[in-house]
Amino acid sequence: MTTTTPDRNRVQLPGISSRAYEHPADRSALVAMRSLSGFDAVLKRTSGLFSERRLRLMFLGSSVRASETQFRGLYDMGRDSAFLLDLHRVPEIYVQQDPKPNAMAIGFDDPFIVVNTGLLDLMDEEELRFVVGHETAHILSGHAVYGTMLAILTRLATRVAWIPLGYIGLRIIVTALEEWHRKAELSADRGGMLCGQDPDAAMRALMKLAGGSRLHEMNIEAFLDQAREYDTAGDVRDGLLKVLNLLGSTHPFAVIRVAELDRWRRDGEYQSILAGNYPRREDDANAKVSEEIKAAARSYRESWAQSQDPFIGVLRDVAEGAVHAGERIFNRFARRDA
């Protein structure tokens, strides 16, 4: 149980549901998955190659576990993040020697966090707090369960690559899961900002993932201008190339993540949550799949409307038709949610 309070006056969010900060496209998928009885149990049985016990033993034997006597600052950040998001169990944090700046949340029943030394060298204290909060938000959302599905299907796709139709079918599923995973990263960014409660540090951390440690050579406003330039692209060809560049990627590009986080803050949702206006965990069972699907559709429409990308403009009518078709399908089954 968490027994400590944060190192400064941050707002705790008692009983907060992960639905409060999840991107609508991520939230709709999670609500749908959670509504499937026994889904988690089946997925756990099919993921024997990703044994949580095996992985924990591996990191226990090859990494350094944060504690009151090892990486104390990181240990306290983990306790603070669990306290702020009202997690009943503080996730263990392991530090592994790897110059690549990265962190990840692993596990089903007792998730833990792994932080690379490259990340510790890159981030200052408040930026690192955002990263730990980001991984804690992944845990509260249960992203590890569904992320494992992506890993399993990706491996399966490579094994059946010699069967054209089988590979194409799996590749379509994997591509859809990769799109979900990218939205899950946007969700965790929001959760990380709720933990650190320092928006500037959150955006600095993401900017550093793109440009490295020379912060004095970078500027967040200029980076946001860069995001706007990326969005407008040059012509339809550039828009298509952006889509192709994301194939096989589970993370959005850094400029997209900073722009999305800045937009979420400016839209007022961040401050509203800190003011106590957020869905509670106790009401998660009442979340309706049909409503979340509609929210996801609205989110995509708003994104298309705001985008200046010429390629998005060309595809907008086609995408709108697909959204309407999807809504009609889900409306047929809406009675099941009643």
Side-chain angles (χ1 to χ4, degrees), residues 30-73:
L30 292 174
V31 169
M33 292 296 188
R34 290 166 186 152
S35 69
L36 297 177
S37 178
F39 173 80
D40 289 3
V42 171
L43 185 56
K44 290 174 188 178
R45 292 193 188 100
T46 60
S47 60
L49 294 176
F50 302 88
S51 169
E52 181 178 335
R53 294 171 66 91
R54 176 171 170 248
L55 287 172
R56 174 172 275 101
L57 285 171
M58 183 180 74
F59 286 107
L60 186 64
S62 63
S63 306
V64 177
R65 183 171 58 194
S67 66
E68 293 182 349
T69 54
Q70 299 188 118
F71 290 102
R72 175 60 188 265

Side-chain angles (χ1 to χ4, degrees), residues 45-120:
R45 292 193 188 100
T46 60
S47 60
L49 294 176
F50 302 88
S51 169
E52 181 178 335
R53 294 171 66 91
R54 176 171 170 248
L55 287 172
R56 174 172 275 101
L57 285 171
M58 183 180 74
F59 286 107
L60 186 64
S62 63
S63 306
V64 177
R65 183 171 58 194
S67 66
E68 293 182 349
T69 54
Q70 299 188 118
F71 290 102
R72 175 60 188 265
L74 196 62
Y75 175 72
D76 287 341
M77 290 177 194
R79 289 160 68 99
D80 289 353
S81 294
F83 174 84
L84 292 166
L85 294 183
D86 200 15
L87 286 179
H88 297 302
R89 183 187 295 273
V90 180
E92 291 181 329
I93 300 179
Y94 291 90
V95 177
Q96 69 172 353
Q97 169 60 31
D98 190 328
K100 182 179 180 180
N102 192 31
M104 54 187 169
I106 301 173
F108 297 112
D109 299 315
D110 189 12
F112 58 96
I113 296 170
V114 178
V115 178
N116 289 359
T117 52
L119 199 66
L120 299 182

